[in-house]
């Protein structure tokens, strides 16, 4: 078999059929159900596709099946890298089935998440994952099968909730620092749903140990918020020996404050984050962190959406994923 790829236009299914010596309908069958085609003909078609650089038209597939094979994912901030594992988990399930994930960043703000979500829905996605705080209009109901990933202040009617057990994770962080011997433990928190659950778990475990609760709460959970919260905490509680940040990004903000004040991690102050994001895994930062297992959340979200796409009548469920503490170099026993 030998032929040159068309130089002036995109190759079509008819070009593939001509080069492979088969009908266009057989090419279509190879693309949609290759197991139903003999090895010889399938290999001929696949060889022609490879030689021509043919790519099936997603628009044509959409018209034929009434599906776009697209899943929308709304996150709250590109700067917070917790969503990387979530996306990887989703794609590990969806990619082999021909689905692709369309990502939209809403940043904080109700109107922003509505705009991001409306933009995805306008592209006729088959399903939606919300990894941000839903806006008020979204709480009534979404148009497509929807999963909310992570604790939020509200969940749209008819949506599944798949989340890390953040209450348990906050308790894990507190227990780790208590077991190391810390009794002056500060917590940097935010105002979103996940932060609220992490704060509640932390507070409960600290109070059980009979230790004072030191909490610096901010509106957001960015590096800047972590910096401001850590500054407030050390201004008001300079004897703090350990800090638990609501996420790894806030922990990085705390590092900047500690460095500016001449305090060493973990010699003077231990620091623990949350999410086990790429920041925490960095060999340079090497942050002790609670792993929220976002990849497992993503895997579960993908499977749940696929089931809802096939049967929209399935009732929504709530699924909790157990967190895991990952101990690295930023926590140790307090200085004597």
């Amino acid at each position: 078999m030998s032929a040159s790829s068309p130089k002036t236009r995109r190759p079509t299914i008819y070009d593939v059929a001509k080069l492979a010596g088969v009908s266009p309908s057989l090419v279509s069958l190879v693309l949609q159900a290759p197991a139903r085609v003999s090895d010889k003909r399938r290999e001929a078609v696949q060889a022609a596709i490879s030689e021509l650089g043919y790519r099936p038209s997603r628009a044509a597939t959409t018209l034929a099946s009434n599906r776009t094979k697209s899943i929308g994912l709304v996150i709250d901030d590109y700067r917070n890298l917790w969503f990387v594992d979530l996306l990887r988990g989703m794609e590990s399930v969806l990619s082999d089935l021909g689905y692709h994930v369309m990502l939209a960043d809403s940043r904080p703000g109700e109107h922003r998440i509505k705009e991001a979500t409306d933009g995805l829905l306008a592209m006729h996605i088959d399903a939606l994952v919300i990894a941000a705080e839903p806006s008020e209009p979204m709480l009534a109901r979404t148009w497509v099968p929807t999963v909310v990933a992570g604790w939020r202040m509200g969940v749209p009617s008819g949506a599944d909730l798949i989340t890390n057990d953040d209450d348990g994770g906050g308790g894990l962080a507190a227990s780790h620092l208590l077991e190391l011997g810390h009794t002056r433990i500060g917590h940097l928190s935010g105002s979103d749903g996940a932060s609220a659950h992490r704060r509640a778990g932390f507070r409960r475990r600290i109070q059980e140990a009979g230790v004072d609760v030191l909490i610096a709460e901010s509106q957001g959970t960015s590096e800047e918020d972590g910096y401001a919260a850590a500054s407030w905490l050390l201004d008001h509680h300079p004897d703090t020996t350990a800090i638990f940040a609501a996420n790894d990004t806030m922990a990085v903000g705390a590092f900047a404050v500690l460095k500016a004040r001449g305090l060493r991690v973990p010699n003077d102050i231990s620091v623990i984050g949350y999410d086990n994001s790429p920041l925490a895994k960095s060999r340079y930062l090497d942050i002790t962190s609670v792993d929220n297992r976002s990849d497992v959340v993503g895997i579960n979200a993908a499977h749940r959406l696929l089931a809802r796409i096939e049967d929209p009548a399935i009732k929504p469920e709530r699924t909790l994923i157990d967190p895991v503490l990952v101990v690295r170099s930023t926590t140790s026993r307090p200085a004597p």
Side-chain angles (χ1 to χ4, degrees):
M1 182 186 303
S2 62
S4 299
S5 300
K7 303 297 184 183
T8 59
R9 61 179 175 83
R10 177 177 177 173
T12 68
I13 196 171
Y14 298 99
D15 297 316
V16 174
K18 182 178 180 180
L19 181 57
V22 300
S23 67
S25 61
L26 187 80
V27 175
S28 180
L29 187 59
V30 169
L31 294 171
Q32 297 178 38
R36 295 172 57 188
V37 182
S38 68
D39 292 345
K40 183 177 181 180
R41 286 188 165 186
R42 183 174 65 249
E43 289 169 3
V45 169
Q46 290 171 340
I49 287 173
S50 177
E51 184 171 340
L52 293 172
Y54 171 74
R55 295 293 181 272
S57 168
R58 186 170 294 275
T61 302
T62 299
L63 288 172
S65 65
N66 200 31
R67 290 181 182 173
T68 62
K69 304 286 278 189
S70 301
I71 306 294
L73 170 61
V74 181
I75 63 172
D76 49 11
D77 194 342
Y78 275 120
R79 296 170 298 179
N80 187 344
L81 298 179
W82 72 270
F83 74 88
V84 172
D85 287 338
L86 174 75
L87 178 59
R88 190 177 73 239
M90 290 174 58
E91 290 186 331
S92 71
V93 175
L94 298 170
S95 295
D96 289 344
L97 298 176
Y99 284 86
H100 73 287
V101 179
M102 303 176 67
L103 187 65
D105 178 21
S106 65
R107 296 291 176 91
E110 181 173 308
H111 70 287
R112 290 183 179 273
I113 187 170
K114 185 178 185 304
E115 289 176 357
T117 304
D118 286 348
L120 290 172
L121 292 172
M123 300 179 77
H124 301 285
I125 55 174
D126 293 329
L128 176 68
V129 175
I130 301 174
E133 292 293 339
S135 64
E136 191 64 33
M138 292 169 61
L139 295 178
R141 192 169 185 86
T142 54
W143 304 347
V144 297
T146 301
V147 165
V148 173
W151 284 113
R152 306 298 164 190
M153 300 306 289
V155 177
S157 175
D160 291 88
L161 172 66
I162 300 177
T163 181
N164 172 251
D165 179 6
D166 288 304
D167 294 79
L172 280 178
S175 292
H176 173 62
L177 295 173
L178 289 167
E179 288 165 5
L180 288 172
H182 293 279
T183 57
R184 299 294 293 171
I185 305 171
H187 178 40
L188 315 182
S189 186
S191 59
D192 60 300
S195 295
H197 281 273
R198 294 170 189 180
R199 183 171 62 248
F202 167 82
R203 185 193 298 273
R204 183 164 51 251
R205 179 67 186 91
I206 289 293
Q207 290 176 335
E208 288 173 354
V211 174
D212 291 337
V213 178
L214 312 176
I215 295 181
E217 187 172 351
S218 62
Q219 280 297 111
T221 55
S222 67
E223 182 178 342
E224 293 80 6
D225 294 315
Y227 185 94
S231 296
W232 182 94
L233 177 69
L234 294 179
D235 286 344
H236 290 80
H237 304 284
D239 57 345
T240 298
T241 64
I243 291 175
F244 165 44
N247 61 29
D248 297 330
T249 307
M250 292 189 84
V252 172
F255 289 154
V257 174
L258 298 177
K259 181 179 180 181
R261 299 188 183 210
L263 297 171
R264 297 167 299 165
V265 179
N267 306 64
D268 300 312
I269 294 187
S270 289
V271 177
I272 180 170
Y274 206 109
D275 292 339
N276 198 33
S277 69
L279 286 173
K281 298 173 186 176
S282 160
R283 287 187 175 87
Y284 179 73
L285 296 175
D286 201 38
I287 305 171
T288 295
S289 185
V290 178
D291 189 347
N292 64 356
R293 302 174 69 197
S294 288
D295 56 336
V296 180
V297 173
I299 290 169
N300 278 265
H303 283 303
R304 189 63 184 166
L305 288 177
L306 291 171
R308 295 286 298 277
I309 290 171
E310 292 303 318
D311 184 3
I314 294 178
K315 292 183 179 180
E317 296 179 349
R318 189 181 81 166
T319 303
L320 285 181
I321 307 298
D322 291 332
V324 177
L325 178 68
V326 181
V327 179
R328 297 191 177 93
S329 66
T330 60
T331 53
S332 67
R333 298 189 64 82

